[in-house]
Amino acid sequence: MLRCLTSICLLIGLIGCEKPAEQATTDLGFFEAPFVHPALVEMFGGWMSDRDPNVMAFDLDEAQDSNQIARALDFEVIPNEVPGLAPWVQMSETHSENEVTYFKYSAIRQDIDGIIYLKCYSWGGGSGYWSHHMAVQIVNDTQIRYDENDLAYEHPYSMLKLVGHLPSDFFE
């Protein structure tokens, strides 16, 4: 045990980290407020023209507050029509010529290993209504960051990661 601890300390020292990482935590979730912003979930869906997803994970708290990703778009929480299920979390965006597009998700269940199954829909731009069901997970991770003196340190964060896309009839 001591040898393992010594090896870990040596490894941390070699990469220039001054202090051990703390445990990452986030208050954000899918079943109750505060909710993960739907823009983050929508990015996991990708474009229909792309064969596979190109966004696989986010630093959850940083992305939630960023202008780049969540873009400070408002979203609303709508009670689920099925009693006992998590509410729908929906965002809308008005485009040129007043075209409005929507994206929403609802958490259906969470497995014991932390995988969360989301029922997701988007619509707009005519009569299109698409499902983008997916499985996601929030896990603790660390990354090397640098302080104002260019000293490396381990930054703990909560990672929202895409586990996989689900078939459109997965919840039937």
Side-chain angles (χ1 to χ4, degrees):
M1 173 80 169
L2 184 56
R3 178 180 281 169
C4 182
L5 186 56
T6 303
S7 297
I8 291 171
C9 290
L10 178 61
L11 178 62
I12 290 172
L14 288 174
I15 60 175
C17 296
E18 296 295 321
K19 60 183 179 181
E22 299 172 11
Q23 189 72 5
T25 59
T26 186
D27 293 331
L28 299 169
F30 292 95
F31 293 94
E32 58 187 36
F35 291 101
V36 170
H37 199 292
L40 302 178
V41 177
E42 183 182 38
M43 288 187 76
F44 284 150
W47 286 16
M48 290 177 64
S49 59
D50 293 336
R51 181 174 174 86
D52 296 304
N54 54 28
V55 175
M56 299 301 295
F58 289 103
D59 176 329
L60 183 54
D61 293 311
E62 294 280 343
Q64 180 86 2
D65 294 333
S66 75
N67 290 322
Q68 175 189 6
I69 297 171
R71 299 184 316 276
L73 295 174
D74 290 332
F75 62 90
E76 60 184 314
V77 178
I78 303 166
N80 200 311
E81 58 277 1
V82 179
L85 286 183
W88 290 100
V89 181
Q90 176 179 296
M91 67 176 192
S92 62
E93 190 172 357
T94 303
H95 303 275
S96 61
E97 299 181 22
N98 293 326
E99 176 189 26
V100 180
T101 57
Y102 300 89
F103 178 84
K104 69 178 180 178
Y105 72 78
S106 178
I108 303 303
R109 73 174 189 269
Q110 181 170 359
D111 286 346
I112 196 162
D113 61 359
I115 295 176
I116 302 164
Y117 296 88
L118 302 176
K119 189 181 272 192
C120 307
Y121 294 101
S122 64
W123 65 98
S127 59
Y129 187 78
W130 300 276
S131 63
H132 305 278
H133 309 320
M134 61 188 75
V136 299
Q137 191 173 29
I138 299 173
V139 296
N140 291 329
D141 204 351
T142 59
Q143 57 184 237
I144 302 301
R145 290 196 177 175
Y146 295 88
D147 66 15
E148 61 279 351
N149 297 316
D150 289 332
L151 296 175
Y153 67 96
E154 283 190 19
H155 169 75
Y157 71 103
S158 296
M159 178 193 302
L160 174 62
K161 68 178 195 172
L162 175 65
V163 174
H165 288 254
L166 306 172
S168 60
D169 62 351
F170 184 82
F171 296 109
E172 294 177 9

